Amino acid sequence: MDWGNVTAEDLVDALREVDWSSPPRPLSEFFSRFTVPKSLAKWDSRLKCNLYYYRTNYFIMIVFILGLGFLTRPLAILSAFLTAVSVAFLNDSFAGSFSEKATRTIRRFSPQLAAKMRPPLAPVIRGRPSAKRAIYICGQPRWVFVLISSLVSFALWYISCGLFTVSLALLIGLLATILHATLRTPNLKARLNTFREEFRAVWRNYSEI
């Protein structure tokens, strides 16, 4: 994959659709080799590649920095957790996995309620399922869960007076992410991983036809 030709919108779509359940990269690899990019084009390509390849590491690092800032504010920790859940719901893989596990758990206690939580059937266009299918969580559109968790987390942020703390901690986490993604030299494993993910995406689109 030529990361120089990948736009920011393409990167956001890839991060939204990719599976985030994979474990983080080892620390020995995460802090392996650092060099300064020689040109703006190399910096742009390296930044996108590292953001995609080390996505789980960056997410854990930001959550850890936020946690350090909330050691004296237990309510703010709950707010940060709900905020992280709101962001996680935007990922297709996480939303689908969460909905499936929640439905399976509820089915043990109430099969009738679990049956109502099934997502509606995907629309069929010219005998084929629509490629752009809406994501449902427990039978409801995804935006409902994102909106509810976002509103609750914002209310908790307001009550705990932790808006300044989260802004500062989030800024530090984002700066640390950009700094690492800028200086970390992409290795062969990162390039091979992006080719494998690209193949899986193409194969998934082919199998849906």
Side-chain angles (χ1 to χ4, degrees), residues 60-132:
I60 294 176
M61 181 173 66
I62 293 176
V63 172
F64 177 76
I65 294 176
L66 288 173
L68 291 179
F70 301 143
L71 291 178
T72 58
R73 298 175 180 270
L75 191 59
I77 296 178
L78 179 59
S79 307
F81 173 77
L82 289 176
T83 302
V85 170
S86 302
V87 176
F89 276 145
L90 297 177
N91 178 260
D92 295 352
S93 177
F94 178 85
S97 177
F98 176 86
S99 178
E100 181 181 353
K101 292 179 180 179
T103 304
R104 189 183 304 126
T105 301
I106 294 177
R107 188 181 295 118
R108 299 176 182 175
F109 306 97
S110 178
Q112 295 81 6
L113 179 60
K116 297 179 180 179
M117 295 170 58
R118 294 177 181 175
L121 297 177
V124 178
I125 301 177
R126 296 181 181 178
R128 299 178 180 177
S130 176
K132 285 289 185 179

